[in-house]
Amino acid sequence: MEKNSLAYVLVVVMTLCGSLGSVLFKKYSFDKKWLVLLLGLSFYGTGSLINIYLLGILPYSTVVISNGLTFIWTILLSYVFFKENINSVNIGGAIFISLGLFLIIYY
């Protein structure tokens, strides 16, 4: 796998880590279990460190705009962890974010 392809895989991992961290923070707000908080900090911190690394190898505009993937992960994770509904507005927003990211990254 070439370096640039790996960087884009890391973009996905970065945004997933950030979203998982946020989910665990919300879960901690209900449960008050320190392990949940520590896991949340670990995921969020890992995502931040990957972000810093990516800023050194990809264009700033690509990395920052790619954070839009976080919204897509949030929709999916809120459904899985909190049984929140996914409606047509969520789906439409996710489609627009995906199309925008595709245009920015590939053109």
Side-chain angles (χ1 to χ4, degrees), residues 3 9 13 16 18 24 32 45 52 57 66 72 88 91-92 104:
K3 187 175 182 178
V9 170
V13 172
L16 180 58
L24 291 167
K32 303 293 189 236
I52 292 166
I57 62 173
S66 294
I72 296 171
S88 58
I91 294 169
I104 288 166

Side-chain angles (χ1 to χ4, degrees), residues 10-20 47 66-70 73:
L10 285 175
V11 165
V12 173
V13 172
M14 170 194 71
T15 57
L16 180 58
C17 283
S19 292
L20 280 170
S66 294
N67 283 315
L69 279 175
T70 304
W73 289 122

Side-chain angles (χ1 to χ4, degrees), residues 76-86:
L76 297 172
L77 293 174
S78 65
Y79 175 78
V80 171
F81 285 94
F82 306 115
K83 307 300 182 228
E84 293 182 6
N85 292 328
I86 297 176

Side-chain angles (χ1 to χ4, degrees), residues 19-83:
S19 292
L20 280 170
S22 294
V23 163
L24 291 167
F25 291 156
K26 181 168 175 78
K27 192 162 175 46
Y28 172 77
S29 72
F30 298 129
D31 298 344
K32 303 293 189 236
K33 294 181 181 174
W34 285 100
L35 180 60
V36 174
L37 178 60
L38 290 174
L39 281 172
L41 289 169
S42 296
F43 276 110
Y44 205 80
T46 299
S48 296
L49 291 173
I50 294 170
N51 192 329
I52 292 166
Y53 172 74
L54 289 172
L55 287 169
I57 62 173
L58 291 175
Y60 177 73
S61 59
T62 300
V63 175
V64 173
I65 291 171
S66 294
N67 283 315
L69 279 175
T70 304
F71 296 109
I72 296 171
W73 289 122
T74 300
I75 292 167
L76 297 172
L77 293 174
S78 65
Y79 175 78
V80 171
F81 285 94
F82 306 115
K83 307 300 182 228

